[in-house]
Amino acid sequence: MLLGLAALLYAHRQIRRQQHNTVKQLRPHVTMFMEPHAADWHVIELAVRNYGSTAAYDVGFAFQKPPTVARYEHIEDGFADIVELPLPQNIPELAPAQEWRTVWDSALDRSQFGSSIESRFDGLVTYYDRPEPQGWWSKTFGRRRKQYRTKVTLDWETLQPVRRVELMTGHDMAKREREKLELLRNMLDYFHFASKETRVDVLRTEIDRMKRAAEETRARWRRNEYDHPTEVVRLPRHG
């Protein structure tokens, strides 16, 4: 009798554990992180990604101190205002492996501010396992959605680009990288607003304009390569 009861309790516990593991696996898991841009090592992007196996809904962020960035386009007398990095108030849905991403800042530029700009930001990512119920019936009798939370720490001092900045010298190089970052930001802003256009003829005009700009840039680059070819140093062959 006791042996049978113990076996029943053990089986029940195993079933509960299996159910818990299944629920844990079949859930969204959203986190926020920062990493270097694929093309420019000093440009740091901020990403929000769903690593779980199900979709996440109503993804929100809360920080003790919000992430900041300098307004490089409004530099006066060598000083730039430090402002809050624009983040979406809410991401309605993130499918499994889907992410939201934006350019944050340049490690080269940020290093020039020193201690006058924050480098560590602790926050919380909140999200749900299902959409918000709609209608009286769903809100009253429907299954309640579960909220999840993920703690995040965004720390510039732990990034490899920061170490690399310490090895770089030369005002011209830093200025060049700053201009490249501004170019990237302007391109992203252009695409953001141009993609909202619904008129086909206007979109066609914008596409042609961008193609001409790309062709002119390519031709200029080729002329520079022709006028200033890369010097090749040939080592003497032995033997």
Side-chain angles (χ1 to χ4, degrees):
M1 180 68 177
L2 293 178
L3 184 60
L5 181 60
L8 183 61
L9 291 175
Y10 176 78
H12 178 71
R13 182 176 298 177
Q14 291 297 110
I15 293 174
R16 291 291 300 273
R17 181 177 298 177
Q18 182 64 32
Q19 290 176 343
H20 176 75
N21 292 336
T22 301
V23 171
K24 190 174 181 180
Q25 293 174 359
L26 299 178
R27 53 154 287 192
H29 187 88
V30 180
T31 188
M32 174 184 285
F33 59 94
M34 49 196 302
E35 65 178 4
H37 188 273
D40 290 305
W41 60 266
H42 68 95
V43 176
I44 304 303
E45 296 183 321
L46 183 64
V48 180
R49 184 179 178 88
N50 181 9
Y51 288 95
S53 58
T54 58
Y57 298 90
D58 296 328
V59 182
F61 322 106
F63 286 90
Q64 298 176 4
K65 296 180 179 179
T68 56
V69 65
R71 296 180 62 185
Y72 300 106
E73 63 274 16
H74 295 91
I75 296 179
E76 296 182 1
D77 300 327
F79 295 94
D81 294 333
I82 306 300
V83 297
E84 184 176 335
L85 177 69
L87 294 176
Q89 294 184 350
N90 179 276
I91 300 178
E93 181 179 355
L94 276 179
Q98 187 180 18
E99 67 177 21
W100 173 90
R101 183 178 292 264
T102 187
V103 174
W104 185 349
D105 205 348
S106 165
L108 284 172
D109 293 333
R110 206 174 182 90
S111 65
Q112 299 180 13
F113 289 94
S115 59
S116 62
I117 191 170
E118 294 285 341
S119 62
R120 179 187 173 102
F121 305 92
D122 295 315
L124 196 67
V125 179
T126 59
Y127 49 100
Y128 297 86
D129 61 347
R130 61 186 62 248
E132 183 177 3
Q134 302 295 326
W136 175 83
W137 181 269
S138 297
K139 291 182 179 180
T140 306
F141 300 102
R143 179 182 173 185
R144 292 189 176 183
R145 60 179 186 167
K146 184 175 181 180
Q147 184 186 61
Y148 296 96
R149 299 181 179 182
T150 302
K151 292 183 179 180
V152 296
T153 297
L154 309 174
D155 193 345
W156 279 83
E157 295 184 357
T158 61
L159 287 177
Q160 182 64 25
V162 177
R163 308 287 186 265
R164 189 170 177 179
V165 168
E166 297 173 354
L167 302 176
M168 296 186 63
T169 57
H171 174 72
D172 292 339
M173 183 176 294
K175 183 178 180 180
R176 181 194 66 192
E177 298 297 335
R178 184 184 302 114
E179 296 298 327
K180 289 169 63 177
L181 176 62
E182 185 174 352
L183 174 63
L184 177 61
R185 282 178 175 157
N186 287 326
M187 290 178 61
L188 291 174
D189 287 342
Y190 169 82
F191 177 77
H192 174 72
F193 290 106
S195 62
K196 295 179 180 295
E197 180 60 58
T198 58
R199 292 169 294 178
V200 176
D201 57 332
V202 176
L203 286 172
R204 187 69 261 173
T205 301
E206 293 298 324
I207 292 172
D208 293 339
R209 187 157 66 95
M210 290 300 294
K211 288 178 65 176
R212 288 194 301 270
E215 291 171 356
E216 293 173 0
T217 303
R218 186 185 302 110
R220 184 170 62 250
W221 177 81
R222 288 176 176 172
R223 287 196 301 268
N224 292 336
E225 285 292 303
Y226 179 79
D227 296 336
H228 305 283
T230 303
E231 181 180 358
V232 178
V233 179
R234 299 187 182 277
L235 299 178
R237 299 180 63 181
H238 296 281

